[in-house]
Amino acid sequence: MMRRTCWVYLVGIACAHLLVIGIGLLLSHIFPNIIHNRLKREITLTEGSRVFETWKSPPPPVYMQYFFFNVTNAEDFLKNKTRPVLSQVGPYTYREYRPKANVTMVENGTKVSAYCPKTFVFLREKSVGDPAVDAITTVNIPVWAVMTKANGFFARGMVTLWMNNMRLGLFTTRPVEELLWGYEDPLLVKVASNNKDVEPVFGLMYKKNGTLGGEFVYHTGEQNYMDYGRVHTWNGQSKLTFWTSNQSNAINGTDGSAFHPLLSKDERLYVFTSDLCRSIFMEFEKDVTVKGIPAYRFTPPRAVLASKEENPANEGFCVTPKQCLGTGLLKVSPCRKGAPVVASFPHFYLGDPKYVNAFEGLNPVREDHQTFLDLNPTTGVPVRASKRAQINILMDRIYGFPITKNIDQTIFPVMFIHESVEIDDASVVRLKKLLLIVTLVSNFPLIIVGLGAILLVVFIVLLVRARKQQKKEVKSIAFTKPLYATSTTDKDEGPYTSVGEKEKEDPKNGTDMHMSPLTSEQ
């Protein structure tokens, strides 16, 4: 009876362990969904969410670096058609502050509007020189812009006369500070006196330091986590008007500062950039780790700026069929008041080699000229990013301007920018805590399964050991002295065993058994 009870008890323990394992396996399917739903609710652009304050005032320092291409043989290029020789000068580094302004919840909290002003502070210790002193010889962009916009014989004649009187050429030498933040150009001043729409001041970053810029309206992600941070409208427009197709004019993706949680390596991420007046897409490249945080690296592939022959979807970015440039270039003149500005990656990275070979001093290298985003896949938080873009000027013969007669079409580099950010240490600590909680809670059912399996294995081992011990005890009993031992005094009684005194006195003893020899004789 005791042995049967023990077995029932052991079987009960085994069933309990199996039940624990079963419950763990069941929870392993339920818990991840619970955690993912929790993340989707927490990572929204709403008051009180984990990311809202960080989105409004990004804590990691953002650095903007400017690299200029100094032309060392401008005269020879214009007179003798020699290959331009470029010398890269930089970086001139600025700390960029970009808190959101006028943040307002709209449409019952499903969207949020904000302005994205940027303020730049020069960092001498991270720069190669003084931007107020260092001079750069580069393309005279105001002159090319005015010549391109001049229509009619009379207008071209007036512009030529002004240029001759002011001794203005196709190249100019200016301090870095003026080229960046603006200077009063004499030709623009003359044109502005007859056309109030023309700004007399020119600078590559003119009116971009401390100004509000256009208004963005973002999806909060409350209704659909996939919409988290996605741009709904820019400057009141849900689509652009610069390009020639609906696909090209579409505003897709975020502004690059926020991405939805639970990222997949297979998805294509879209980013709307107002600097390029278009949306671009990025694809997964590789797994990386930033300060101990796992991340997916997404980069724009060659197809983003490919020619219409290479990527037919890009035909909509051709200003006109005759102004459709080759791979690696995007003419952004429609959103730059007609100025012949062309965007590319630095050193024409991912572009047609002919644009690189047209100059001496260019050398595209992926590590130095690639744009990328490193995103934590669980939260979608950017942990490191590098945005790189180059500004070029389209130079070509312009009818009515003899000064351009020796020029063949050339995409001339002026400067490129490198905007970079890496998560700060305080944000790393917060993000690691969040990821640890998510990992532990998500794996809690598996921990239960593991413990149940371990206990079951331990139980089986103990059961086997107990079984072996029981067998040993049975064997040891079999080889010990029997209960009815042979008598040492009566050797004549042969194989029959004697009985104890009590058994002899008991008249009933042996009545149900074979009789002893003594009883048989009697």
Side-chain angles (χ1 to χ4, degrees):
M1 182 63 71
M2 289 292 293
R3 185 174 295 178
R4 182 178 299 176
T5 303
C6 181
W7 275 104
V8 171
Y9 176 71
L10 293 176
V11 171
I13 293 176
C15 291
H17 289 164
L18 292 173
L19 181 61
V20 168
I21 294 174
I23 292 174
L25 290 173
L26 178 62
L27 292 178
S28 67
H29 293 284
I30 298 175
F31 262 53
N33 292 330
I34 295 175
I35 298 303
H36 290 170
N37 290 333
R38 183 66 178 175
L39 275 175
K40 295 170 188 177
R41 290 195 300 269
E42 284 291 335
I43 301 180
T44 58
L45 298 181
T46 54
E47 293 286 353
S49 72
R50 289 182 179 269
V51 297
F52 190 59
E53 291 301 322
T54 301
W55 175 80
K56 287 199 300 183
S57 300
V62 180
Y63 297 104
M64 178 69 85
Q65 295 178 312
Y66 299 96
F67 297 82
F68 284 86
F69 294 103
N70 186 57
V71 187
T72 60
N73 65 338
E75 293 299 323
D76 287 341
F77 167 68
L78 292 175
K79 292 179 181 179
N80 304 320
K81 292 187 177 182
T82 57
R83 191 167 67 155
V85 178
L86 305 179
S87 174
Q88 181 177 297
V89 182
Y92 296 92
T93 305
Y94 292 76
R95 170 74 186 271
E96 182 180 333
Y97 297 88
R98 48 195 307 174
K100 301 288 192 300
N102 299 347
V103 178
T104 308
M105 305 305 297
V106 295
E107 297 188 25
N108 297 322
T110 60
K111 297 179 180 65
V112 57
S113 68
Y115 289 87
C116 303
K118 298 179 181 179
T119 303
F120 300 90
V121 178
F122 179 64
L123 300 178
R124 181 65 182 84
E125 68 278 8
K126 292 182 176 290
S127 305
V128 297
D130 187 348
V133 176
D134 298 351
I136 301 293
T137 298
T138 186
V139 178
N140 195 335
I141 299 177
V143 164
W144 281 96
V146 171
M147 289 192 304
T148 302
K149 293 288 289 183
N151 293 318
F153 176 80
F154 177 76
R156 295 186 183 116
M158 287 297 298
V159 171
T160 301
L161 179 63
W162 290 337
M163 288 174 60
N164 291 335
N165 290 339
M166 299 174 190
R167 297 182 180 180
L168 299 177
L170 301 181
F171 290 87
T172 186
T173 301
R174 294 275 180 179
V176 169
E177 190 172 73
E178 290 186 0
L179 291 173
L180 279 177
W181 309 113
Y183 63 93
E184 193 172 77
D185 183 81
L187 182 59
L188 292 178
V189 170
K190 203 71 174 175
V191 175
S193 63
N194 298 308
N195 186 346
K196 299 303 179 181
D197 294 333
V198 175
E199 179 67 57
V201 177
F202 169 78
L204 294 166
M205 296 293 292
Y206 179 58
K207 289 186 176 181
K208 292 186 178 180
N209 191 357
T211 57
L212 288 178
E215 181 190 29
F216 284 82
V217 175
Y218 304 90
H219 290 266
T220 63
E222 193 171 34
Q223 290 182 317
N224 185 351
Y225 81 100
M226 293 292 289
D227 287 336
Y228 166 72
R230 184 167 65 84
V231 177
H232 177 62
T233 61
W234 174 62
N235 278 339
Q237 298 177 313
S238 58
K239 64 178 182 179
L240 306 174
T241 57
F242 303 121
W243 312 110
T244 59
S245 71
N246 291 331
Q247 182 178 353
S248 300
N249 281 319
I251 297 178
N252 295 322
T254 73
D255 63 356
S257 64
F259 294 88
H260 68 80
L262 308 176
L263 291 168
S264 167
K265 293 181 180 181
D266 299 326
E267 65 183 300
R268 175 179 283 183
L269 299 182
Y270 284 87
V271 176
F272 171 72
T273 167
S274 58
D275 294 331
L276 296 179
C277 306
R278 62 161 290 185
S279 298
I280 66 171
F281 60 87
M282 309 180 82
E283 296 176 344
F284 174 80
E285 181 183 283
K286 62 181 180 179
D287 289 286
V288 296
T289 302
V290 181
K291 294 185 177 181
I293 298 175
Y296 293 166
R297 173 163 292 184
F298 286 86
T299 60
R302 177 183 170 93
V304 170
L305 295 181
S307 65
K308 66 176 183 178
E309 290 78 18
E310 194 173 326
N311 182 8
N314 285 343
E315 185 173 0
F317 294 112
C318 298
V319 180
T320 65
K322 293 184 179 181
Q323 298 185 49
C324 206
L325 302 177
T327 293
L329 304 177
L330 174 68
K331 190 172 183 180
V332 293
S333 55
C335 62
R336 292 291 181 268
K337 297 181 178 180
V341 179
V342 177
S344 70
F345 293 117
H347 288 240
F348 300 115
Y349 170 69
L350 295 181
D352 193 313
K354 70 179 182 180
Y355 301 118
V356 179
N357 297 332
F359 300 88
E360 185 177 331
L362 297 183
N363 182 31
V365 179
R366 185 178 70 172
E367 290 74 15
D368 297 331
H369 305 134
Q370 182 189 49
T371 291
F372 66 82
L373 279 169
D374 292 341
L375 308 174
N376 175 254
T378 303
T379 61
V381 172
V383 292
R384 183 170 55 197
S386 282
K387 172 186 174 183
R388 296 180 172 105
Q390 181 170 295
I391 297 175
N392 313 278
I393 297 299
L394 175 60
M395 301 176 66
D396 203 353
R397 291 190 191 93
I398 301 178
Y399 178 76
F401 292 98
I403 195 173
T404 66
K405 64 180 180 180
N406 291 330
I407 296 178
D408 296 325
Q409 187 182 81
T410 305
I411 310 298
F412 212 102
V414 175
M415 76 156 189
F416 75 84
I417 64 170
H418 177 207
E419 189 176 27
S420 62
V421 62
E422 185 173 278
I423 188 169
D424 62 301
D425 293 339
S427 299
V428 166
V429 173
R430 290 194 296 269
L431 184 55
K432 282 185 176 180
K433 286 182 179 178
L434 176 60
L435 294 177
L436 180 61
I437 293 172
V438 171
T439 302
L440 289 177
V441 175
S442 297
N443 293 327
F444 181 69
L446 298 179
I447 294 174
I448 294 176
V449 173
L451 289 175
I454 292 172
L455 291 174
L456 185 59
V457 171
V458 171
F459 165 73
I460 293 173
V461 170
L462 293 176
L463 184 62
V464 171
R465 287 184 177 179
R467 188 71 174 173
K468 288 181 178 179
Q469 186 65 29
Q470 186 181 24
K471 288 182 178 180
K472 286 182 179 179
E473 291 177 356
V474 170
K475 289 181 179 179
S476 64
I477 291 173
F479 287 98
T480 59
K481 184 179 178 180
L483 180 61
Y484 302 104
T486 304
S487 173
T488 57
T489 58
D490 190 359
K491 296 182 180 179
D492 297 331
E493 293 183 351
Y496 297 98
T497 59
S498 62
V499 294
E501 294 298 326
K502 283 188 176 182
E503 292 175 338
K504 290 180 178 180
E505 295 175 357
D506 186 0
K508 295 182 180 180
N509 185 47
T511 55
D512 295 328
M513 301 173 62
H514 294 292
M515 292 183 293
S516 67
L518 181 59
T519 307
S520 178
E521 291 176 2
Q522 290 178 352

